[in-house]
Amino acid sequence: MNRQGHKPGRRLTRRAPVFTLLTSQSVRFLSNTMSSRPDTDSLSSETLAAQAGGARRRRKEARPQELLAAALELFVEKGYAATRSEEVAARAGVSKGTLYLYYASKEELFKAMVRDCLGSPIAEARAMAAQFEGSMTELLAILLREWWAHMGQTAAGGISKIMMAEARNFPELASFFVDEVINPSNDQLAEVIRRGIAAGEFRPVPADAAVEVLIAPMLHMVMHQHSFGACSVGGRTVDPEAVLQVQLDLMLNGLLAPSEKTN
């Protein structure tokens, strides 16, 4: 071993720099790849500015919906009182100040969320019912199934649980919910029952009381789904479709005039 500490007879070679190991084929591949990329230098500043502006506009237009989606998640998870505006902003990926550009307070954010998740579907259902030309039996079944599709099969059902739990502490929000959700949906169902009675399809019953009988099992399922059903505590498994089918059968066979009853 020499004084440099290397064994005799072994020639030390210097490792070639990485760039010298590229083959000509690799060089051609890289050249083709680079040439296929858009030449941003050739784009005008006006074009680039327009593209950036369009992306910002699309992002800005989508932001209210992103905030509402984040609000729904958090309100359902934590309740109204426990949810802070900055948490909603953080989940939506924006600052608290940005949230307030769209919604001036947590209360306004909650109201906007209720209108988006529940108010809009109710308005659509009312428009559909006004133009419906079939039997009221058919319409009633459609409306109940649509109600369940929006309230039972989405996170929106959790809003009803929030209001049931916190209405006493937030009476102004409770009043808003009654005006925007409970009254319109109940009035719609009552109108269907009255139309069925007027047409001789249903026997005379107090329409408003019949609505309470219709809604109660549905609301119970929503409450169960967002309480016991949301955690592993055992007990019975609720089959919403089976419950809805029995509810319609019991209600309709109780509502139908004698000549319309089925066996």
Side-chain angles (χ1 to χ4, degrees):
M1 184 176 293
N2 60 25
R3 60 182 181 179
Q4 280 79 24
H6 302 295
K7 292 181 179 180
R10 191 176 195 180
R11 178 179 293 176
L12 292 175
T13 57
R14 193 186 235 171
R15 182 174 293 179
V18 174
F19 64 83
T20 64
L21 299 179
L22 290 173
T23 64
S24 59
Q25 187 175 15
S26 300
V27 172
R28 285 196 300 273
F29 171 77
L30 289 173
S31 299
N32 292 337
T33 302
M34 295 299 293
S35 63
S36 65
R37 293 178 180 174
D39 184 5
T40 56
D41 292 338
S42 65
L43 296 175
S44 68
S45 59
E46 291 83 359
T47 301
L48 291 173
Q51 291 176 348
R56 283 194 297 271
R57 281 193 298 273
R58 289 191 294 273
R59 183 75 178 87
K60 188 175 181 180
E61 290 167 359
R63 192 163 287 144
Q65 202 61 41
E66 293 169 355
L67 288 167
L68 294 179
L72 176 61
E73 290 177 3
L74 279 165
F75 283 133
V76 170
E77 287 173 16
K78 303 181 66 174
Y80 178 78
T83 299
R84 296 179 299 160
S85 296
E86 51 264 38
E87 292 177 300
V88 176
R91 183 162 296 193
V94 301
S95 68
K96 184 178 177 181
T98 298
L99 184 150
Y100 285 142
L101 290 175
Y102 296 92
Y103 306 105
S105 65
K106 185 174 79 169
E107 181 179 309
E108 290 305 312
L109 174 63
F110 185 84
K111 288 180 178 179
M113 180 200 67
V114 169
R115 290 190 181 105
D116 181 67
C117 293
L118 302 179
S120 294
I122 289 172
E124 292 170 5
R126 289 178 72 89
M128 181 274 293
Q131 300 176 5
F132 190 79
E133 296 181 352
S135 71
M136 293 302 99
T137 299
E138 293 173 305
L139 180 56
L140 197 59
I142 290 171
L143 290 176
L144 289 183
R145 292 184 187 283
E146 285 297 307
W147 189 95
W148 180 252
H150 288 292
M151 295 290 285
Q153 297 179 339
T154 73
I159 301 173
S160 292
K161 177 176 175 286
I162 294 169
M163 295 311 305
M164 294 284 282
E166 303 190 52
R168 184 172 181 176
N169 295 327
F170 300 96
E172 197 279 331
L173 278 184
S175 177
F176 162 81
F177 192 79
V178 168
D179 291 340
E180 295 282 333
V181 177
I182 295 178
N183 285 346
S185 57
N186 285 8
D187 289 348
Q188 180 185 43
L189 289 173
E191 176 61 22
V192 172
I193 293 172
R194 291 189 184 100
R195 285 168 62 182
I197 293 171
E201 186 178 348
F202 298 157
R203 65 184 179 85
V205 295
D208 292 333
V211 168
E212 298 298 327
V213 175
L214 275 172
I215 288 295
M218 311 281 285
L219 194 56
H220 172 77
M221 284 197 296
V222 169
M223 295 298 105
H224 180 275
Q225 188 160 300
H226 289 275
S227 54
F228 295 102
C231 55
S232 301
V233 294
R236 299 181 188 179
T237 300
V238 177
D239 181 354
E241 179 57 34
V243 173
L244 180 58
Q245 188 62 43
V246 172
Q247 166 71 350
L248 284 167
D249 177 58
L250 292 174
M251 190 66 187
L252 290 173
N253 280 311
L255 269 179
L256 290 175
S259 60
E260 297 291 334
K261 283 188 177 179
T262 57
N263 295 325

